[in-house]
Amino acid sequence: MEKLTAKETLLYLIDMLSLSLDELQREKRSDVDPFLYGEKTAYAECLELIQFWEGAQAHGLDYKIEKKYPL
């Protein structure tokens, strides 16, 4: 695998975490299944941490994570 820059890595993480959270939002069991709820929580927390990156807003993380993906 080719090495990515820090920016490329963050953009990849944003895409993958958002995709996973979107899938979990559609899964009705994600609020009652402890494993799925834990996944949802971890992914949301990761996105919240990525929002500290100075380029986060310019690359689509310009919203409240918990409003879009309520826990």
Side-chain angles (χ1 to χ4, degrees):
M1 177 178 195
E2 184 179 325
K3 298 287 184 180
L4 303 176
T5 66
K7 179 180 177 180
E8 290 170 331
T9 301
L10 286 169
L11 293 175
Y12 182 73
L13 280 170
I14 291 169
D15 287 343
M16 294 307 297
L17 292 167
S18 298
L19 177 67
S20 295
L21 279 166
D22 288 339
E23 289 175 4
L24 285 169
Q25 283 294 101
R26 289 189 295 272
E27 177 62 55
K28 298 198 185 303
R29 297 178 308 128
S30 69
D31 291 333
V32 294
D33 182 310
F35 180 80
L36 295 178
Y37 183 77
E39 269 190 304
K40 191 174 173 181
T41 301
Y43 295 157
E45 287 179 6
C46 287
L47 279 181
E48 288 174 343
L49 288 172
I50 294 171
Q51 281 186 322
F52 288 115
W53 172 44
E54 62 191 350
Q57 285 189 340
H59 294 289
L61 281 183
D62 56 350
Y63 57 90
K64 294 271 188 188
I65 304 298
E66 287 192 22
K67 286 193 180 219
K68 184 171 182 178
Y69 304 109
L71 301 174

